[in-house]
Amino acid sequence: GDLIRYHDVRAAVCGEGGIGGCVCVSGSFRRTRLGDWLRLRWLSRGRRRRVPVEDTDHPYVVHHVGMQNLCRAIQELNDAEDEDEDGEEEGGVKIVKVSGVLLSLPRWHYVSWMGNMLYSGVMKWHRTGEEDIMGSGIRYTILRPGSFRNDEEYEHVEKELVVTRDGALSPGFRVKKPRIGIDDLADLCIDCLQSRSDIDDEVLYPKWEETPYI
């Protein structure tokens, strides 16, 4: 279903017994338009400048409104399972959110500013979507990978998947993003859904080690 329509999200999350977990990989890279500059929509400060939900590809709608709808639906499902004595899973449904390592940069960094100016505030609203999940009370793990690579193209490269809590990028002039294979990332998402609780409510940085940076 469409993340911006709550009833569609609720039907997907709560229908037919409900989901067992959620891997969220939604995203938006809408280029900033003239109307956004005239209304300062890439900043979206103040109620009068909020982006209408009809602008479905705007990062505000995808990352903020969409995450609020997803969290609301999962909260409703978790509340229903708490009332059911035969609930299958303790702790309720968990969200694994695939974000990006660039969000570890400070808000004042030039990469953050350029991303916001060129792509309709994508960095600002991606961070806001993470904060929506963190503040929802739902169990979560947020993954901030770097550049995606096809695993088959790097079969000859000696590498190891490493996941850390302190993988934030250094806010220098030259930003180097670590690589990660898409298959490794997909497997990691499933592992996070099924893993023990010591990585709940964490922001993690997965990457290939021993692979040259780009």
Side-chain angles (χ1 to χ4, degrees):
D2 195 334
L3 279 176
I4 69 169
R5 296 179 176 86
Y6 174 70
H7 293 294
D8 290 344
V9 178
R10 183 182 182 279
V13 170
C14 302
E16 298 183 2
I19 61 174
C22 176
V23 177
C24 181
V25 293
S26 62
S28 172
F29 288 94
R30 170 190 179 275
R31 291 186 180 275
T32 303
R33 301 168 185 169
L34 178 60
D36 300 330
W37 284 104
L38 295 177
R39 300 174 180 84
L40 293 180
R41 280 183 175 172
W42 70 277
L43 286 174
S44 292
R45 290 178 177 172
R47 188 176 300 275
R48 292 179 300 172
R49 296 173 181 166
R50 290 297 185 194
V51 179
V53 293
E54 292 79 11
D55 195 351
T56 56
D57 61 343
H58 196 287
Y60 165 77
V61 177
V62 175
H63 293 301
H64 183 40
V65 176
M67 289 305 99
Q68 287 185 326
N69 286 339
L70 180 62
C71 291
R72 177 184 170 192
I74 292 178
Q75 286 171 332
E76 183 175 340
L77 176 61
N78 286 344
D79 290 343
E81 288 184 346
D82 288 341
E83 295 175 0
D84 184 359
E85 294 181 356
D86 298 325
E88 295 181 358
E89 188 171 337
E90 184 179 355
V93 171
K94 178 179 179 178
I95 297 178
V96 175
K97 175 75 168 78
V98 179
S99 186
V101 72
L102 290 180
L103 294 186
S104 66
L105 292 171
R107 298 173 190 268
W108 49 261
H109 194 274
Y110 78 92
V111 172
S112 300
W113 276 89
M114 288 180 62
N116 285 330
M117 289 188 292
L118 296 177
Y119 293 99
S120 308
V122 64
M123 304 284 282
K124 169 186 172 63
W125 294 117
H126 216 146
R127 285 192 182 95
T128 302
E130 286 188 348
E131 293 167 358
D132 290 332
I133 294 174
M134 293 176 182
S136 67
I138 299 169
R139 295 190 303 132
Y140 69 85
T141 298
I142 292 176
L143 301 177
R144 288 179 171 177
S147 299
F148 298 157
R149 291 292 183 267
N150 189 319
D151 297 68
E152 296 178 357
E153 296 177 1
Y154 286 80
E155 287 181 342
H156 63 285
V157 179
E158 185 176 349
K159 57 192 179 296
E160 178 184 1
L161 179 63
V162 176
V163 183
T164 66
R165 292 177 172 85
D166 57 351
L169 293 176
S170 174
F173 180 77
R174 185 180 180 186
V175 176
K176 301 178 182 180
K177 294 193 297 181
R179 297 170 176 171
I180 185 172
I182 53 177
D183 291 342
D184 283 345
L185 180 59
D187 291 340
L188 178 60
C189 289
I190 302 303
D191 289 343
C192 288
L193 282 180
Q194 300 174 342
S195 66
R196 58 191 186 280
S197 61
D198 62 351
I199 63 167
D200 283 355
D201 305 337
E202 292 277 3
V203 177
L204 304 178
Y205 296 87
K207 66 178 181 179
W208 277 344
E209 195 171 68
E210 305 301 329
T211 302
Y213 284 151
I214 61 173

